[in-house]
Amino acid sequence: MPLTVKENNTSFTTVITSCILFGMIGIFVKGIRDMEAGSILFYRLFFGFAIIFGYLVVSGGIKKIELKQKKFYMLLLGVLNTITMFTYFTSIKYSGIPVAVLLLYTAPIYVTLLSPLLLKEHVTLRDMLALILSISGILLAVNPSNIYGSQGSENGNYITGVFFGLLSGLSYGCSIMTMNYLKGTYSAVEQMYWSTAVSLVLLLPFGTTVSFPVLLENLKLLIPLGVIATALASLLYLRGVARMKAQTAAVLSLLEPVSSIFFCCLLLGEPVQPNTIEGCIFILAGAALIGYTAPIRPGASEKYFRDMWARFFQPYMPLRPGKL
């Protein structure tokens, strides 16, 4: 059954709000001292998971949390989320924030190219135009032409940072498609609950390496990082993405770097460059285009694109997950 205009707008609003909350991550992380990326990620998820679990127990919703079909894909979602977070933070360490952000948000490229094959979703001219606008905005905001002369990499290991950044973008795109595939079987809360549980198990060795004094000193930042930028943001994102196409969610998620730039300038006092403003405008334009609900009639160009895709690529790609 198609969504009504009101339901559709609600989905867009929840995803946009979640991206704004995710954009606050840098503010919290920047103030954390003497903790490695894996340890920060573990406690971020630990406090977020504790809030969600407590809410479910009080509301009685914990009785509805159960593993049903597609268990492998639920496990896969937890692994992908862990890979995305860990590789993103590692990329920041070795190549600097601009490069890491740019490579993380290559995710819509993978989603737009792969979702027609794996999720059987149609790629429209509007999808492609919104993707081009948003990716152009990322390039403008980051200004990669100035990166090569910077000292953003630790120990000069720039290639390592690029590798982990590319991996974070790929895993992020795969996470979006996996959530879209699971939405018919698991609710947003169930997806968040089980995927976070998997991530916590994978990150447990990092959490045990933090000394108690260091943990106590950073609790004032780790707790809001887990509650606001993890539990609340993730729940809103999952609720929204479960009711829209994977390509739409991928492009709307590009609002996160815009909010990150805004918070850094507003709260951390970092200057705003002209190319940053231009990039934000392009990203917002792409998000506005993808969120526009009026239909676009398929034209000759779109039909040609789909026919070429089906003729030259479809026969050589694996079947949709679950149909293997």
Side-chain angles (χ1 to χ4, degrees), residues 121-141:
E121 295 181 349
H122 295 296
V123 177
T124 66
L125 289 177
R126 183 168 58 202
D127 291 332
M128 297 304 296
L129 179 58
L131 176 66
I132 292 171
L133 284 172
S134 299
I135 294 300
S136 299
I138 291 292
L139 292 171
L140 280 170

Side-chain angles (χ1 to χ4, degrees), residues 57-233:
V57 170
V58 172
S59 63
I62 193 67
K63 299 178 182 178
K64 302 178 182 179
I65 302 295
E66 59 177 344
L67 280 174
K68 293 168 282 192
Q69 301 175 3
K70 304 178 182 177
K71 295 182 179 66
F72 170 78
Y73 293 100
M74 182 59 71
L75 173 64
L76 177 63
L77 179 60
V79 173
L80 288 171
N81 287 344
T82 304
I83 293 174
T84 300
M85 292 184 293
F86 188 84
T87 52
Y88 175 53
F89 276 78
T90 304
S91 181
I92 290 177
K93 177 180 178 181
Y94 289 111
S95 61
I97 294 177
V99 178
V101 170
L102 170 64
L103 296 178
L104 175 66
Y105 285 96
T106 56
I109 297 176
Y110 304 114
V111 173
T112 301
L113 294 178
L114 294 177
S115 58
L117 304 172
L118 300 179
L119 299 177
K120 305 301 181 183
E121 295 181 349
H122 295 296
V123 177
T124 66
L125 289 177
R126 183 168 58 202
D127 291 332
M128 297 304 296
L129 179 58
L131 176 66
I132 292 171
L133 284 172
S134 299
I135 294 300
S136 299
I138 291 292
L139 292 171
L140 280 170
V142 175
N143 195 11
S145 62
N146 295 332
I147 290 173
Y148 296 101
S150 66
Q151 300 297 323
S153 64
E154 181 176 318
N155 300 325
N157 205 347
Y158 180 81
I159 299 301
T160 300
V162 171
F163 171 76
F164 279 106
L166 288 170
L167 185 58
S168 71
L170 177 60
S171 61
Y172 185 27
C174 292
S175 295
I176 294 173
M177 291 187 289
T178 304
M179 287 186 288
N180 191 270
Y181 177 67
L182 289 171
K183 66 183 182 182
T185 305
Y186 293 93
S187 67
V189 176
E190 288 175 319
Q191 288 192 39
M192 181 179 180
Y193 182 92
W194 291 114
S195 64
T196 304
V198 171
S199 297
L200 281 172
V201 173
L202 295 175
L203 293 169
L204 181 60
F206 296 97
T208 57
T209 61
V210 181
S211 64
F212 182 75
V214 172
L215 177 60
L216 190 62
E217 179 185 357
N218 290 296
L219 278 180
K220 61 182 180 297
L221 293 174
L222 290 172
I223 292 177
L225 175 63
V227 175
I228 298 174
T230 301
L232 181 58

Side-chain angles (χ1 to χ4, degrees), residues 22-38:
F22 280 130
M24 301 176 67
I25 291 176
I27 299 174
F28 296 120
V29 172
K30 191 169 184 178
I32 296 175
R33 298 288 181 266
D34 302 320
M35 291 182 64
E36 297 294 330

